[in-house]
Amino acid sequence: MLTIHADSTGRALAVEGARIAEAGPLEQLVAAYPSARVRRWPGILTPGLVNPHGTELLEGAYHPDPREADELGTEPLTGDALTALAPDDARWGASARRGVQRMLAHGTVAVACGELRRRAVRDAVARSGLTVVGRPATPHLGGVPSLDPYACGLPVEFAPPRERGSAARFAVFDVPDEAALADLGAATCVATVIEGRLVYRRR
């Protein structure tokens, strides 16, 4: 079924399967696809964000299960705390799946990674549909790894613009414009779509 995703500004994307069928004003797309389902979102449609610290967040941090919160807290474990935990492969895989879900909840559609050495982490990323992009081969990327790319201290990068025929990957943030998004951060995400699938929706 073809679905039209529209934001508060009247911009819209018509999605058919895993691809963008058309991009343009909502009225134009509704006229072109009168039988399409229409999803109206608060805020602005964007191509989605690229998180520059994929390796650090997925292989250099452990994302606790909510059931572990009393013991481990809710924030990612790194450094000595991660060393003391010494997760096995099963826990690394579960951590990566939770980490990916938290990235999706911040409007991330792509992650910049060095070599991912753990198969469980690679599998979690592959199953999520996140695009993996390269990054400079340097041991010190800079910035502070964060689920919110606006909080990492590096220039924020968006995925390529969505246009007719491109992959249906985008995110919606409940803000009036990109300036407000920069001020309020990616936790304002209300929806993330990857390959035409709604992979995150804020409740």
Side-chain angles (χ1 to χ4, degrees), residues 19-106:
R19 294 283 168 182
I20 301 294
E22 192 62 82
L26 174 59
E27 295 81 2
Q28 176 183 315
L29 298 192
V30 169
Y33 304 100
S35 62
R37 176 175 60 178
V38 178
R39 287 187 180 271
R40 300 174 187 267
W41 301 104
I44 58 171
L45 277 165
T46 76
L49 297 168
V50 179
N51 192 303
H53 290 107
T55 305
E56 292 81 359
L57 289 168
L58 297 175
E59 286 203 330
Y62 178 81
H63 299 267
D65 188 293
R67 295 169 294 183
E68 300 173 311
D70 289 344
E71 176 188 0
L72 302 178
T74 59
E75 295 302 308
L77 302 182
T78 60
D80 291 342
L82 177 59
T83 300
L85 184 64
D88 59 17
D89 284 345
R91 290 185 90 175
W92 272 118
S95 168
R97 290 190 292 274
R98 290 188 291 270
V100 162
Q101 286 302 313
R102 290 167 183 171
M103 287 181 174
L104 296 173
H106 286 80

Side-chain angles (χ1 to χ4, degrees), residues 105-160:
H106 286 80
T108 293
V109 299
V111 289
C113 296
E115 180 184 2
L116 294 175
R117 294 169 294 177
R118 298 181 183 276
R119 179 175 179 178
V121 174
R122 294 196 302 270
D123 288 347
V125 172
R127 291 190 183 111
S128 75
L130 284 171
T131 297
V132 177
V133 298
R135 67 183 194 183
T138 173
H140 302 293
L141 178 64
V144 178
S146 173
L147 293 168
D148 182 351
Y150 283 96
C152 76
L154 296 175
V156 172
E157 181 181 355
F158 283 92

Side-chain angles (χ1 to χ4, degrees), residues 4-15 20 22-24 26 29 39-48 158 162 169-178 181 190-193:
I4 296 173
H5 295 264
D7 68 12
S8 298
T9 72
R11 291 181 295 184
L13 296 171
V15 176
I20 301 294
E22 192 62 82
L26 174 59
L29 298 192
R39 287 187 180 271
R40 300 174 187 267
W41 301 104
I44 58 171
L45 277 165
T46 76
F158 283 92
R162 302 298 84 195
R169 298 171 179 268
F170 54 90
V172 189
F173 297 91
D174 190 7
V175 294
D177 51 41
E178 287 189 15
L181 177 56
V190 293
T192 304
V193 172

